[in-house]
Amino acid sequence: VQLMLVPIPTGASVYVGGERLGRTPMTIERPQGDESIVLGFRKRDHRSRRITAKLARSRTIKVELEPEFELIR
């Protein structure tokens, strides 16, 4: 199964089980099955985000990362 990871904004680090896999955008491959994996996304000045992805089929996963601080104007 291929999972194309596309967070907004790009350039986030991706983690699975505490292991850093790289920076986005990226594609990861895992064996197909009924299991799920938890993907963690981290980017400086943005809130970290975790999602659970099922490994039933290949797909693109889009995740929006929110800014950690709001600009005051």
Side-chain angles (χ1 to χ4, degrees):
V1 171
Q2 290 186 336
L3 301 176
M4 176 67 174
L5 308 176
V6 187
I8 299 167
T10 60
S13 295
V14 177
Y15 295 83
V16 173
E19 177 186 348
R20 184 178 181 273
L21 301 182
R23 294 191 126 186
T24 61
M26 68 181 300
T27 301
I28 61 171
E29 292 192 32
R30 291 289 190 259
Q32 185 173 7
D34 293 332
E35 305 94 33
S36 298
I37 60 170
V38 177
L39 299 165
F41 296 87
R42 294 183 193 158
K43 183 171 174 78
R44 185 180 176 153
D45 298 327
H46 289 78
R47 292 186 178 130
S48 297
R49 181 119 185 244
R50 291 172 56 152
I51 64 163
T52 301
K54 293 192 179 209
L55 299 175
R57 61 180 174 85
S58 295
R59 66 184 180 278
T60 299
I61 298 174
K62 295 181 181 178
V63 178
E64 189 165 342
L65 301 177
E66 296 179 14
E68 194 165 68
F69 304 101
E70 292 184 34
L71 294 176
I72 299 174
R73 295 182 185 187

